[in-house]
């Protein structure tokens, strides 16, 4: 009888311990399903679930960068993506985040450069940004990074989407459908190249991608110094027979300071140790390496868990953590 009681106590202790070991849920909001971030989020969720014990990673569509920052602020996201300028604005509490600084944001890695791609129907006489005036155009969905990018770029020319365009605030997929049926003249897309939304439009519709002239690039860089001049090489997309000159910003993978250091370390390690496999299915990741992970990240703080990994692979790695 005594042995049986001891056995019961041991069994109860084991069951209690097992039940108390909860999985760490990692929600990964990305962007529209037709962009580059959604498949990246899906690939990461699968990779983390397979390689990191004790976590449950879940990929989900979102309205993009601004939406992701709001989700992170509400602690509804644990890992997500955004271009460096809006993440910086959110951290500092400026721009669209005036008075709402989120000092809990922490970078995990700088990824690829995210170029602006202005896709327009080739039968509407649109040759430059100034020609968009009066046309039906999708600046992106409300609350998206794409909308902000469109407003920044048109603002240099004194144009406002709400005043000067027949604006329709649609995501990539919806805008593509409207362009194909002829009810929309163009759309603004910000995503790594090649992105599925642009590839599909170039394949199925009479469209082209606008190229920005050097004088315009100099003007926008004066007001927004985080923009880099970027070239989309000819042949990146079907029927693209010349280089496209545009602007780009570094895409960041980031988290919250409260996410466990060891969890972030594992996520950072697994990402970079599997980068070659990820590059096979996520074209926008091609060419990136751990050596440039902390470059062009707007001097934002890096999560200590991520810095632990960077110092292991490069003892000279230094960056602001807190």
């Amino acid at each position: 009888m005594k042995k049986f009681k001891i056995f019961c106590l041991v069994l109860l202790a084991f069951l209690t311990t097992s039940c108390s070991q909860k999985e760490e849920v990692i929600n990964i909001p990305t962007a529209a399903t037709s962009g580059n971030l959604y498949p990246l989020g899906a690939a990461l969720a699968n990779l983390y679930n397979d390689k990191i014990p004790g976590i449950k990673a879940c990929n989900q569509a979102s309205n993009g960068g601004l939406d992701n920052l709001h989700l992170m602020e509400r602690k509804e996201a644990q890992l997500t993506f955004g271009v460096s300028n809006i993440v910086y604005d959110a951290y500092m509490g400026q721009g669209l985040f005036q008075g709402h600084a989120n000092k809990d944001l922490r970078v995990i890695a700088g990824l690829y450069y995210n170029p602006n791609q202005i896709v327009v129907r080739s039968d509407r006489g649109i040759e430059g940004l100034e020609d968009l005036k009066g046309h039906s155009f999708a600046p992106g969905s409300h609350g998206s990074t794409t909308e902000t990018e469109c407003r920044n770029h048109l603002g240099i020319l004194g144009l406002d989407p709400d005043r000067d365009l027949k604006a329709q605030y649609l995501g990539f997929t919806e805008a593509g459908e409207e362009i194909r049926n002829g009810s929309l003249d163009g759309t603004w897309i910000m995503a790594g190249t090649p992105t599925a939304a642009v590839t599909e439009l170039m394949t199925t519709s009479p469209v082209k991608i606008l190229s920005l002239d050097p004088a315009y690039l100099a003007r926008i860089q004066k007001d927004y110094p985080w923009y880099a001049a970027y070239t989309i090489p000819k042949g990146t997309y079907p029927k693209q027979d010349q280089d496209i000159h545009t602007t780009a910003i570094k895409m960041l993978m980031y988290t919250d300071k409260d996410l466990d250091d060891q969890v972030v370390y594992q996520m950072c390690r697994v990402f970079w140790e599997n980068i070659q496999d990820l590059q096979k299915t996520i074209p926008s990741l091609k060419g990136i390496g751990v050596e440039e992970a902390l470059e062009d990240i707007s001097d934002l703080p890096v999560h200590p868990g991520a810095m632990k990994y960077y110092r292991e692979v490069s003892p000279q790695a230094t960056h602001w953590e807190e």
Side-chain angles (χ1 to χ4, degrees):
M1 187 69 176
K2 184 176 181 181
K3 289 183 178 180
F4 178 73
K5 288 182 178 179
I6 293 174
F7 171 78
C8 290
L9 289 172
V10 171
L11 179 61
L12 178 61
F14 172 78
L15 291 174
T16 301
T17 302
S18 298
C19 292
S20 65
Q21 292 176 342
K22 295 180 180 179
E23 289 182 314
E24 180 92 49
V25 176
I26 306 296
N27 288 320
I28 310 176
T30 52
T33 56
S34 57
N36 279 343
L37 289 180
Y38 186 81
L40 173 56
L44 281 181
N46 290 332
L47 188 62
Y48 291 159
N49 288 333
D50 183 50
K51 303 269 187 191
I52 306 176
I55 74 166
K56 180 177 177 57
C58 309
N59 178 45
Q60 64 185 77
S62 76
N63 285 328
L66 295 177
D67 189 26
N68 294 341
L69 283 161
H70 293 313
L71 291 169
M72 186 67 72
E73 184 178 24
R74 298 197 299 267
K75 312 295 184 182
E76 295 175 19
Q78 287 69 49
L79 174 71
T80 189
F81 308 90
V83 285
S84 61
N85 62 318
I86 66 163
V87 179
Y88 181 82
D89 281 351
Y91 181 81
M92 297 299 294
Q94 63 186 33
L96 294 175
F97 298 89
Q98 189 71 41
H100 298 281
N102 183 0
K103 294 294 186 178
D104 292 346
L105 296 173
R106 296 292 183 271
V107 173
I108 295 178
L111 304 179
Y112 51 86
Y113 286 96
N114 227 25
N116 284 290
Q117 301 166 72
I118 306 100
V119 184
V120 298
R121 286 187 64 99
S122 53
D123 56 0
R124 302 297 164 88
I126 303 172
E127 301 298 329
L129 289 182
E130 62 279 357
D131 297 328
L132 291 175
K133 187 172 183 178
H135 283 276
S136 59
F137 189 81
S141 56
H142 276 302
S144 67
T145 304
T146 306
E147 180 191 357
T148 300
E149 289 301 301
C150 182
R151 289 185 180 278
N152 285 351
H153 284 71
L154 291 182
I156 294 295
L157 302 173
L159 299 176
D160 180 271
D162 298 317
R163 183 190 67 231
D164 300 304
L165 278 60
K166 299 174 183 175
Q168 297 185 40
Y169 290 92
L170 305 171
F172 296 170
T173 302
E174 297 83 0
E177 293 173 356
E178 296 300 310
I179 289 172
R180 277 188 288 275
N181 67 33
S183 61
L184 191 66
D185 297 334
T187 186
W188 199 287
I189 294 175
M190 190 188 201
T193 57
T195 187
V198 178
T199 298
E200 186 175 2
L201 277 171
M202 295 290 283
T203 304
T204 61
S205 307
V207 298
K208 61 185 178 183
I209 306 171
L210 296 184
S211 196
L212 306 179
D213 64 62
Y216 174 84
L217 290 172
R219 288 175 63 187
I220 195 167
Q221 286 174 323
K222 183 178 179 181
D223 285 4
Y224 303 103
W226 53 74
Y227 285 120
Y230 187 91
T231 298
I232 303 173
K234 65 179 180 179
T236 300
Y237 292 110
K239 300 185 293 184
Q240 183 201 342
D241 57 6
Q242 59 183 346
D243 292 346
I244 302 296
H245 303 290
T246 185
T247 57
I249 309 177
K250 195 76 169 281
M251 175 62 69
L252 305 182
M253 178 164 63
Y254 65 93
T255 185
D256 183 275
K257 74 175 183 62
D258 293 330
L259 191 57
D260 182 77
D261 288 5
Q262 186 60 19
V263 171
V264 176
Y265 168 81
Q266 293 294 345
M267 292 195 302
C268 187
R269 177 188 64 81
V270 167
F271 173 77
W272 288 113
E273 288 183 356
N274 291 273
I275 190 63
Q276 292 184 346
D277 288 336
L278 288 169
Q279 288 169 339
K280 293 175 183 177
T281 56
I282 312 295
S284 58
L285 295 181
K286 290 182 179 179
I288 74 167
V290 67
E291 299 82 6
E292 299 85 35
L294 302 182
E295 293 181 1
D296 296 327
I297 62 171
S298 296
D299 199 31
L300 288 160
V302 176
H303 195 286
M307 277 307 303
K308 178 184 176 183
Y309 174 74
Y310 292 125
R311 289 186 177 123
E312 285 182 358
V313 297
S314 178
Q316 297 80 23
T318 58
H319 202 81
W320 181 33
E321 295 176 54
E322 298 298 337

